[in-house]
Amino acid sequence: MIGLLSAYQLGQAGLQVVLLEAGETAREASWAGGGIVSPLYPWRYQPAVTALAHWSQDYYPRLDERLVAEGGISPEVHETGLYWLDLEDEAEALRWAEHSGRPLFPRSIDQVYAAVPALGAGFTHAVFMPDVANVRNPRLGKALTAALRQMPNVQVLERSPVRAFLRDGERVVGVRTHDRELRAERVVVAAGAWSGELLATLGITLPVEPVKGQMILFKCAADFLPSMVLARGRYAIPRRDGHVLVGSTLEHAGFDKTPTEDALASLRVSAAELLPALGKAEVVRHWAGLRPGSPEGIPYIGEVPGHEGLWLNCGHYRNGLVLAPASCRLLADLVLGREPIVDPAPYAPAGRIV
Ligand SMILES: Cc1cc2nc3c(=O)[nH]c(=O)nc-3n(C[C@H](O)[C@H](O)[C@H](O)COP(=O)(O)OP(=O)(O)OC[C@H]3O[C@@H](n4cnc5c(N)ncnc54)[C@H](O)[C@@H]3O)c2cc1C
């Protein structure tokens, strides 16, 4: 999603863009994610993460409209609100909301059970943010790919893994794929969990590591779950058509993305605790993806010092879908020398990589 939206932003600004994708577009973490348009616990993140999240949250509904107009595919931005149940740091969350002007409100547990009748018994307190949406990320990937294919100045080349960078002294002047060399004024690395491997070919150490996450999917009645619910790190996300996603695990397992029986069992227990009717329901799909883990989840956005022409937009860890619009807009602002939407300093690669 980061590569697609970067190409979209740069292409709309009139640049000639070639998007090189090792496999098919939006099939890795950006397909596997839940698509909650908010960090799971926004108050626990650095302001650098929330600044991008807030910009994106406001932008997503407009992006949906634009993509429908441009390619006819809606990413189904679904504003359901999100209930956090039995939070340990509820007071801190409410203080953060007041301070940052976000709509997060305490709810009595009776109000929650009235709003979400399918919720499991035993929860005692909750806070609710009514304007949190989720996006159907596989459709967002399709919609963006379709929009890019219609832009005359953008080329999307799938099954084109980048193997190395072309250099002229310290300057990066292009890339080599499995079957060709491409020259460019700028190369943007948006290779998700694989970004570190790619930069290692230049002797650069980028602390971006794969963090495996597994999810399960149920199919319910369209009105089964009116809002997203989250307790003890596990959440349920309703899509408009009644699909409900339950996630997710956090595992350090290298680049292995095989779904496991242990994770399936654990996710099923969480699903049944949150929404007991799911205890007996069939799991219609189970998958895993690799998040691009980075220190404190702060992405790298900007040019790499000492390697002119080499740019990064990667390391979005657990929040790549919510952060994508703002991250890609910021990248485009920096590339084009425009006034940036947010202070770019916290994301700058300078001083954060060796
Ligand atoms: C289970 C799970 C749940 C999640 N839930 C959420 C959520 O609710 N909200 C949220 O905001 N985020 C969520 N995330 C995180 C989010 O999915 C990621 O942060 C985001 O998708 C990262 O996007 P990306 O484009 O950087 O990486 P990816 O989607 O992994 O894309 C990287 C792309 O680079 C390509 N590539 C790799 N190497 C090369 C190469 N050498 N040459 C060419 N192409 C290459 C890959 O094929 C891939 O298509 C979740 C993730 C998981 C796994």
Side-chain angles (χ1 to χ4, degrees):
M1 216 61 86
I2 301 296
L4 287 170
L5 259 170
S6 297
Y8 185 72
Q9 293 278 356
L10 294 168
Q12 285 204 321
L15 268 61
Q16 294 290 329
V17 182
V18 182
L19 177 77
L20 295 163
E21 162 55 50
E24 289 171 28
T25 57
R27 294 296 303 173
E28 293 291 349
S30 298
W31 184 93
I36 303 177
V37 185
S38 170
L40 281 189
Y41 302 96
W43 54 91
R44 295 182 193 169
Y45 280 95
Q46 297 275 344
V49 173
T50 43
L52 294 178
H54 291 168
W55 193 92
S56 294
Q57 283 166 333
D58 294 341
Y59 181 75
Y60 254 110
R62 274 185 284 147
L63 179 64
D64 192 332
E65 282 170 23
R66 271 172 78 162
L67 290 173
V68 172
E70 285 167 19
I73 304 172
S74 170
E76 296 188 14
V77 175
H78 187 28
E79 193 176 296
T80 61
L82 169 56
Y83 287 96
W84 283 266
L85 300 153
D86 291 2
L87 267 180
E88 289 159 18
D89 53 353
E90 191 175 285
E92 202 179 322
L94 291 167
R95 266 197 305 277
W96 166 86
E98 197 176 339
H99 178 251
S100 57
R102 301 312 280 187
L104 180 74
F105 309 107
R107 285 280 187 268
S108 76
I109 206 64
D110 292 345
Q111 284 174 313
V112 184
Y113 282 110
V116 187
L119 188 67
F123 293 107
T124 59
H125 54 109
V127 290
F128 183 57
M129 199 182 265
D131 66 351
V132 183
N134 66 79
V135 59
R136 206 155 177 176
N137 33 304
R139 292 193 184 199
L140 177 61
K142 279 196 184 125
L144 277 169
T145 306
L148 289 178
R149 289 201 193 282
Q150 291 188 6
M151 293 167 80
N153 53 330
V154 177
Q155 251 185 301
V156 179
L157 300 180
E158 294 180 301
R159 285 165 285 281
S160 299
V162 171
R163 302 255 199 252
F165 297 93
L166 305 178
R167 299 169 78 177
D168 179 2
E170 289 303 297
R171 203 183 150 76
V172 170
V173 293
V175 293
R176 182 176 304 120
T177 70
H178 65 304
D179 67 352
R180 70 184 87 178
E181 286 188 356
L182 287 102
R183 297 202 159 249
E185 268 175 52
R186 301 174 196 85
V187 174
V188 179
V189 174
W194 296 268
S195 302
E197 279 193 335
L198 206 46
L199 290 182
T201 64
L202 287 172
I204 297 171
T205 305
L206 178 77
V208 171
E209 287 177 2
V211 182
K212 183 175 178 180
Q214 303 193 44
M215 303 267 281
I216 54 176
L217 181 71
F218 297 90
K219 181 75 172 76
C220 307
D223 61 353
F224 171 70
L225 182 63
S227 296
M228 294 180 276
V229 290
L230 191 160
R232 293 185 281 279
R234 294 274 166 93
Y235 50 79
I237 306 170
R239 300 299 196 213
R240 284 188 189 155
D241 65 358
H243 278 108
V244 174
L245 291 83
V246 175
S248 61
T249 63
L250 268 185
E251 304 162 65
H252 293 269
F255 287 95
D256 174 18
K257 45 171 199 168
T258 318
T260 62
E261 288 301 317
D262 281 357
L264 175 62
S266 162
L267 289 168
R268 284 206 73 125
V269 168
S270 297
E273 279 171 10
L274 278 170
L275 301 159
L278 298 183
K280 295 186 209 82
E282 182 198 353
V283 172
V284 297
R285 198 156 178 181
H286 170 206
W287 66 84
L290 300 174
R291 306 175 184 91
S294 59
E296 297 189 85
I298 299 176
Y300 296 88
I301 307 169
E303 197 170 19
V304 179
H307 296 269
E308 210 186 322
L310 180 65
W311 291 70
L312 304 183
N313 196 0
C314 56
H316 294 74
Y317 194 26
R318 302 197 77 176
N319 298 308
L321 297 165
V322 53
L323 302 186
S327 300
C328 300
R329 170 62 189 267
L330 176 62
L331 174 88
D333 290 344
L334 296 173
V335 164
L336 296 160
R338 295 188 304 218
E339 178 73 19
I341 50 160
V342 295
D343 175 9
Y347 321 99
R352 299 176 65 213
I353 58 176
V354 283

